[in-house]
Amino acid sequence: MSSVEITNIRKSYGAVLALSEINVQIDSGSFYTLLGPSGCGKTTLLRTIAGFHFQDSGTIKIDGRSIEQLPAHKRQVGMVFQDYAVFPHLSVRENVAFGLKQQKVERSKIEPAVNEALRMTQMESFAERMPHELSGGQQQRVGLARAFAVDPTVMLMDEPLSNLDAKLRVDLRAELRRIQQDMGMTTIYVTHDQEEALAMSDTVCVMYGGVIQQAASPVEIYKNPSNRFVANFVGTNNFLKASHDASGNVTLGGAKIADGINHSDTNSGLVAAIRPEDISVMDSNQEPNGDKISLSASVRRVSFIGREAEVVAVTEKGDEVKSTVHPTTEILSLSEGSAITLAFDRALTHVFVESDTGRRLT
Amino acid sequence: MSYDANVRTFLGFKVDFWSVTTVVVLTILVVMLLLPIGSVFIVSFFDADTGQFTLANYVEVFTRNYYVKGLYNSLLVGGLGTLGACLIGVPLAFFMARYHIKGKTFISTLAILVLVSPPFIGAYAWIMMLGSNGIVTNFFKAFGIQTPTIYGAHGVILVYSLKFFPFVFLMTKTALTSVNKSFEDAAENLGCNAIERFFKITLPLVFPAVSTGAIICFVLSIADFGTPAIIGRGFRTLSTIAYSAYTSELGGTPTMAVTVSLVMMAISILALFAQRWFLAKRRYASALTNRPVVHQLEGWRNAGAHTFCFGVVIVAMLPTLVVMYTSFLQTNGPVFTGEFGLSSYQRVLSDAPEAIYNSFRFAFAAVVMIAIFSGLISYLIVRRENAISGFIDVLMMVPYLVPGVVMAIGYVTTFRTGWFDLTGTGLIIIMILFIRRLPYGVRSTTTNLRQIKSSLEEAAINLGCSPLKAFIKVTVPLIMPGLVVGSLMSFITAINELSSTLILYVSGTVTMPVKIYISVLDGEFGLAAALSTILLVCSGLCVYVVFKLADDRESSFL
């Protein structure tokens, strides 16, 4: 398949900057996900690659060949749509053959290519059906087969699973990933579902405000978010107000969590981020062992959610902290106002500048 | 508390306001719609002289050259007129729906004015322009250039194309604005350029709407009487044959007029069923996630699109403008003196005041009835879903398909019996206007009512209103916009009615369209123009009010 190189893509609608100096490098055969809240520019970027939007400046190269000046119908990139866009007046087979016929592929070669695409998506037995006779999931398989069939350089997917129900979404997501890996198909995938992004991708690119916040492997994105936005958007996180002094020491509830921090901006403070699953809940008289930070807190509520329990507590400084722990009898018997100690690893704590997209300092 | 004790029953059926209404509505529709059509149907199967059952009338229509030629001509002008309307309407809809066109409201307004002006005015205005003594003809004659004549089949086709294209335009435009953009994006992504995309994806997707518009054009063309009568000059269609058969059989049983009319109706019904059958497999319900974008055209394309859009509606409006212009020309008897003046309007006041009075009286009376029954019928159709209301819903299609001539002859045969004779009265004209235009009111009101949740009425009943009271206090105020728009549409079409009133009128019940038709035949163009102008201004005012009231102003006219 093909590699993609996007350089300095910029796109504005009047005064609104939709994409600001986007630079993306996608290796051949990899699954690259654009993740972000609605309005972050992810769909705009995808549609710019497809040629449905025209960039103000910048270049898009596929295998080193610039495509950013080509009209959409000459780009040879596959696209799968959120609303399937399976042509309702054509049968499944005619839909899948549509792109091949458009490319003036020899008649004798269309049939096998269509059958192959239908086989890949397990839609062979539906070939002669009309789209309205298919469920949403089946329609999206047709959308996928149609995009495959033309053997595109790059596959673009615009939230292809978001209109399906939860169970089907998870099944189809695994299948999509399998097909993608089997074919070694370079894929750019847009979603607002972080679980989907983490589960499927080689690289997750988190976008916000038309700017790429971080592009890295799912584990890296989760474990080492590069700024506060990523730390907040991907997974759940607690942000606790931290203090720092002139010598660069950062403290949380009296305990030092970092030193040598160079943060001279006095206007914005610092926050320490710790994920709920990294916090343990103990009796107030217990002392954490090892190199842990402990905070006294009082319970606000405990919710049992099956596999685990979620404990929401308020620290002495007034920060609300959420932790997910094993639902032991002791935990579930905690009542509102119970005094507890929250303990967590210093190494798992990240310090960020307090603004929306404040950078990570440790 | 025993609840059931309060429920009155009759022959085991629950009796409440709505069941009584159902019976009343059904009775009226049977007497005023089915009976006349049925009586016409029966007449066509009997020999006019001997009174014996026979199929000879139909055999005659399908074998005698005179009728076969008429049938052929009807299909010819109907088919080609519809084709012309599509060739104008579809591109116009596409430009208007997908590109920035300056003066869109103006273009839509003109298209709708074309729609509400009676077709025979157009025909007669084309004669004034391109006829043997027309303005354009004389202009070119001065340079020694022979212009093509307007008389005959091609003239009729031209008039139909320019008159009926708004149906195709409005239908297609609505559909084009609701095609999911993703389909077109997908086509482009799969390698279609703009033209391929239009023909392979967009046009097939809006085809149901285009064909619905086309069917309306076709049905109206087949049934239209005024245009071939005025412009045909020996070119006979089924509707002109039916009318002349009726006038020559006057006094006797109008057997041949009726048979010909029923053939006409059968063509319309066949066309409609063919279209329904074809569309049944092509229902493209689409979740609207992605509305199409309106683009700005550049350079010559932009100029071309504007020229086309304005050109079409202005040319289509031209006949109407010519009529209005002519009405202000001074006449001396039937002769134009070449100066401006109001003599035509003076003639209206002296020769035809009763036509104006009658037109308004009849149309107004019919519309009051239409308004009342539209409210009741739409409630039955929307809220009381059962076999009978389903049947009433189907019956509401019938008046669209029955040509005015058929309906009128049916009225004559049904309501002139030994015991009573309604022919020659104003009542029979009001009745026929009511039944022919009722569907306009019902459709508009039904659309409105479907958007109102039934829980509102249920709340009123829960709070102690009887079903009737809930209807009057809650439903009627909520459907008022639909009711008013529907009534106005009924009014416009009722006041322009010609084909049925031409058969039913007597000197005391002459209406404006009838008077215009007679004046044109008598060569009284000034008088015809002045009356037409009055008619057009009335229609125009109604259109203006509809525009003010309706949410989706353009689709109100379909």
Side-chain angles (χ1 to χ4, degrees):
Chain A
M1 272 265 175
S2 311
S3 63
V4 181
E5 191 183 344
I6 294 168
T7 317
N8 292 331
I9 286 288
R10 207 186 135 85
K11 170 81 188 165
S12 56
Y13 294 107
V16 184
L17 195 59
L19 295 172
S20 149
E21 304 302 317
I22 298 289
N23 288 287
V24 171
Q25 184 77 47
I26 302 169
D27 294 337
S28 178
S30 75
F31 196 113
Y32 193 93
T33 298
L34 301 172
L35 172 70
S38 55
C40 73
K42 57 189 191 300
T43 299
T44 307
L45 178 56
L46 193 81
R47 291 177 64 82
T48 307
I49 299 169
F52 297 130
H53 293 323
F54 208 72
Q55 66 284 346
D56 299 340
S57 60
T59 60
I60 303 168
K61 285 183 180 169
I62 294 181
D63 283 338
R65 196 171 68 100
S66 285
I67 60 156
E68 76 278 353
Q69 300 299 327
L70 292 176
H73 67 276
K74 293 196 170 150
R75 293 200 179 190
Q76 302 199 336
V77 292
M79 183 144 177
V80 179
F81 293 82
Q82 181 175 11
D83 49 16
Y84 324 136
V86 175
F87 303 133
H89 61 300
L90 303 179
S91 71
V92 168
R93 182 179 293 285
E94 288 166 331
N95 261 283
V96 178
F98 189 91
L100 295 164
K101 283 186 186 157
Q102 209 50 49
Q103 289 184 358
K104 309 263 188 292
V105 172
E106 269 178 61
R107 198 171 275 272
S108 62
K109 287 182 181 158
I110 290 180
E111 179 87 10
V114 169
N115 287 338
E116 172 61 13
L118 289 172
R119 194 188 58 76
M120 289 288 286
T121 51
Q122 299 172 14
M123 288 299 290
E124 296 144 296
S125 52
F126 300 92
E128 311 310 326
R129 297 254 188 117
M130 292 304 283
H132 66 90
E133 299 170 296
L134 303 178
S135 69
Q138 290 167 334
Q139 288 200 36
Q140 194 55 294
R141 284 168 190 271
V142 177
L144 200 60
R146 184 177 69 184
F148 279 145
V150 293
D151 193 20
T153 53
V154 176
M155 186 69 90
L156 307 177
M157 302 197 185
D158 185 8
E159 309 208 22
L161 305 180
S162 66
N163 282 0
L164 305 173
D165 61 52
K167 174 85 171 67
L168 192 61
R169 196 152 57 209
V170 174
D171 292 348
L172 209 52
R173 148 174 125 191
E175 199 180 320
L176 204 60
R177 175 63 164 160
R178 175 186 61 75
I179 296 172
Q180 184 267 333
Q181 284 178 321
D182 285 356
M183 297 186 72
M185 180 174 62
T186 314
T187 300
I188 307 177
Y189 189 97
V190 162
T191 185
H192 62 263
D193 182 338
Q194 38 152 317
E195 196 184 303
E196 205 169 281
L198 297 177
M200 300 176 84
S201 317
D202 294 314
T203 305
V204 175
C205 170
V206 181
M207 293 183 71
Y208 177 63
V211 176
I212 293 180
Q213 304 294 327
Q214 185 177 13
S217 71
V219 174
E220 185 70 9
I221 290 279
Y222 193 82
K223 300 263 185 196
N224 291 309
S226 67
N227 66 32
R228 185 179 166 178
F229 177 82
V230 178
N232 187 31
F233 187 77
V234 181
T236 325
N237 231 328
N238 292 298
F239 293 97
L240 306 172
K241 197 139 181 61
S243 334
H244 64 289
D245 58 23
S247 57
N249 293 321
V250 181
T251 53
L252 185 65
K256 188 164 100 172
I257 52 170
D259 53 20
I261 296 295
N262 185 10
H263 178 65
S264 47
D265 184 0
T266 47
N267 286 330
S268 63
L270 298 178
V271 287
I274 182 76
R275 297 215 180 258
E277 66 268 28
D278 294 333
I279 301 175
S280 41
V281 173
M282 294 179 293
D283 266 358
S284 57
N285 49 19
Q286 260 182 299
E287 270 301 307
N289 47 3
D291 181 28
K292 289 214 172 184
I293 296 164
S294 61
L295 294 173
S296 304
S298 81
V299 172
R300 178 159 285 172
R301 65 173 180 273
V302 178
S303 336
F304 174 61
I305 49 176
R307 192 173 44 193
E308 51 205 16
E310 188 180 276
V311 179
V312 179
V314 183
T315 66
E316 287 167 335
K317 283 171 84 179
D319 287 318
E320 200 177 77
V321 180
K322 189 186 280 180
S323 58
T324 47
V325 295
H326 191 64
T328 58
T329 328
E330 290 80 18
I331 292 289
L332 294 176
S333 64
L334 289 172
S335 57
E336 189 178 345
S338 305
I340 52 170
T341 297
L342 302 169
F344 45 91
D345 236 312
R346 196 183 307 272
L348 297 173
T349 315
H350 295 300
V351 176
F352 294 95
V353 174
E354 203 185 356
S355 63
D356 252 9
T357 56
R359 68 198 158 92
R360 193 181 80 210
L361 299 171
T362 63
Chain B
M1 171 180 129
S2 168
Y3 184 78
D4 282 343
N6 289 327
V7 177
R8 278 162 291 177
T9 58
F10 177 75
L11 296 176
F13 290 99
K14 210 172 83 181
V15 176
D16 66 3
F17 172 70
W18 289 111
S19 53
V20 173
T21 306
T22 307
V23 173
V24 171
V25 166
L26 204 57
T27 311
I28 286 178
L29 291 179
V30 166
V31 173
M32 291 174 68
L33 186 62
L34 296 184
L35 216 56
I37 297 172
S39 70
V40 170
F41 197 68
I42 290 168
V43 165
S44 74
F45 284 103
F46 286 90
D47 190 290
D49 302 324
T50 62
Q52 293 293 307
F53 176 83
T54 176
L55 291 174
N57 302 323
Y58 285 97
V59 172
E60 194 174 347
V61 169
F62 288 108
T63 52
R64 220 179 106 191
N65 194 32
Y66 173 71
Y67 294 113
V68 174
K69 184 83 182 137
L71 177 62
Y72 171 78
N73 286 345
S74 276
L75 291 174
L76 181 79
V77 293
L80 291 181
T82 304
L83 182 68
C86 291
L87 290 178
I88 298 170
V90 173
L92 182 64
F94 187 76
F95 291 137
M96 292 279 283
R98 295 300 175 80
Y99 298 112
H100 286 292
I101 301 287
K102 289 200 176 64
K104 270 187 184 172
T105 318
F106 177 74
I107 292 169
S108 292
T109 309
L110 284 194
I112 285 162
L113 284 175
V114 169
L115 203 64
V116 298
S117 64
F120 59 91
I121 294 188
Y124 140 68
W126 282 110
I127 290 181
M128 301 188 63
M129 288 187 287
L130 292 170
S132 44
N133 195 25
I135 306 162
V136 179
T137 314
N138 289 342
F139 177 79
F140 281 106
K141 210 183 271 174
F143 297 96
I145 301 169
Q146 183 76 39
T147 48
T149 164
I150 189 74
Y151 303 107
H154 59 278
V156 178
I157 293 166
L158 176 78
V159 172
Y160 285 168
S161 302
L162 287 171
K163 164 69 191 173
F164 294 133
F165 81 88
F167 288 111
V168 179
F169 160 62
L170 293 173
M171 284 277 181
T172 311
K173 180 164 165 260
T174 310
L176 276 172
T177 46
S178 58
V179 166
N180 191 339
K181 185 173 182 292
S182 293
F183 293 137
E184 296 178 354
D185 282 353
E188 213 174 321
N189 176 256
L190 292 165
C192 287
N193 63 32
I195 292 166
E196 288 171 323
R197 193 185 64 192
F198 177 77
F199 283 103
K200 291 186 175 176
I201 303 301
T202 313
L203 194 57
L205 289 180
V206 298
F207 183 76
V210 177
S211 68
T212 304
I215 277 294
I216 299 176
C217 297
F218 186 73
V219 169
L220 290 176
S221 308
I222 293 287
D224 182 52
F225 160 74
T227 308
I230 290 172
I231 220 172
R233 282 274 175 96
F235 178 82
R236 291 168 175 279
T237 65
L238 288 185
S239 60
T240 55
I241 288 175
Y243 181 74
S244 47
Y246 178 78
T247 44
S248 64
E249 287 168 321
L250 211 54
T253 319
T255 309
M256 282 324 287
V258 155
T259 313
V260 170
S261 303
L262 284 173
V263 170
M264 234 157 84
M265 192 170 119
I267 295 171
S268 300
I269 292 171
L270 278 179
L272 184 80
F273 276 121
Q275 190 241 6
R276 288 280 152 115
W277 173 79
F278 190 73
L279 283 193
K281 297 175 288 182
R282 293 172 177 75
R283 289 267 166 244
Y284 316 131
S286 119
L288 250 197
T289 46
N290 218 341
R291 282 200 168 265
V293 176
V294 180
H295 292 285
Q296 177 68 53
L297 283 170
E298 302 294 339
W300 66 270
R301 289 165 202 267
N302 193 31
H306 276 83
T307 310
F308 178 80
C309 293
F310 279 94
V312 161
V313 289
I314 287 170
V315 169
M317 199 60 193
L318 213 52
T320 309
L321 298 177
V322 166
V323 168
M324 293 178 117
Y325 170 80
T326 312
S327 74
F328 293 106
L329 291 178
Q330 196 69 22
T331 57
N332 183 7
V335 183
F336 290 102
T337 60
E339 294 150 32
F340 287 102
L342 292 173
S343 61
S344 295
Y345 289 93
Q346 284 162 354
R347 291 275 315 279
V348 170
L349 289 180
S350 60
D351 291 10
E354 78 286 354
I356 300 175
Y357 174 63
N358 283 340
S359 274
F360 276 97
R361 193 163 59 114
F362 298 154
F364 188 74
V367 165
V368 168
M369 278 163 66
I370 287 171
I372 294 167
F373 279 90
S374 294
L376 296 173
I377 292 175
S378 62
Y379 189 93
L380 290 178
I381 291 173
V382 177
R383 295 282 194 258
R384 302 267 145 161
E385 281 186 59
N386 57 38
I388 301 175
S389 65
F391 179 61
I392 293 174
D393 196 13
V394 172
L395 282 186
M396 283 298 108
M397 285 292 299
V398 175
Y400 285 120
L401 289 170
V402 182
V405 184
V406 176
M407 210 64 203
I409 295 174
Y411 267 51
V412 173
T413 48
T414 309
F415 299 113
R416 187 169 60 194
T417 70
W419 309 324
F420 64 95
D421 184 1
L422 289 182
T423 52
T425 63
L427 181 63
I428 198 168
I429 291 180
I430 293 170
M431 281 162 63
I432 205 162
L433 290 179
F434 164 74
I435 206 73
R436 272 172 65 71
R437 304 312 180 197
L438 181 62
Y440 290 89
V442 172
R443 183 152 70 176
S444 167
T445 318
T446 306
T447 310
N448 192 326
L449 187 59
R450 283 195 205 281
Q451 292 159 354
I452 295 161
K453 291 199 190 80
S454 57
S455 58
L456 291 171
E457 290 138 27
E458 285 158 8
I461 290 170
N462 175 259
L463 292 168
C465 287
S466 68
L468 173 61
K469 226 172 177 183
F471 177 72
I472 292 169
K473 284 185 144 180
V474 177
T475 316
V476 170
L478 289 171
I479 59 172
M480 202 43 105
L483 211 53
V484 172
V485 169
S487 302
L488 285 166
M489 284 314 298
S490 310
F491 186 79
I492 294 172
T493 49
I495 206 167
N496 283 309
E497 172 71 26
L498 173 68
S499 56
S500 65
T501 42
L502 194 55
I503 283 177
L504 292 175
Y505 90 99
V506 294
S507 64
T509 58
V510 70
T511 63
M512 280 195 276
V514 172
K515 188 77 191 170
I516 293 167
Y517 177 74
I518 298 169
S519 307
V520 171
L521 289 192
D522 292 350
E524 297 265 18
F525 289 153
L527 182 58
L531 275 169
S532 300
T533 306
I534 294 169
L535 206 50
L536 282 165
V537 168
C538 294
S539 304
L541 283 176
C542 293
V543 170
Y544 177 77
V545 179
V546 171
F547 264 34
K548 285 276 157 195
L549 291 175
D551 298 332
D552 186 2
R553 32 168 81 169
E554 284 163 17
S555 43
S556 307
F557 292 92
L558 292 175

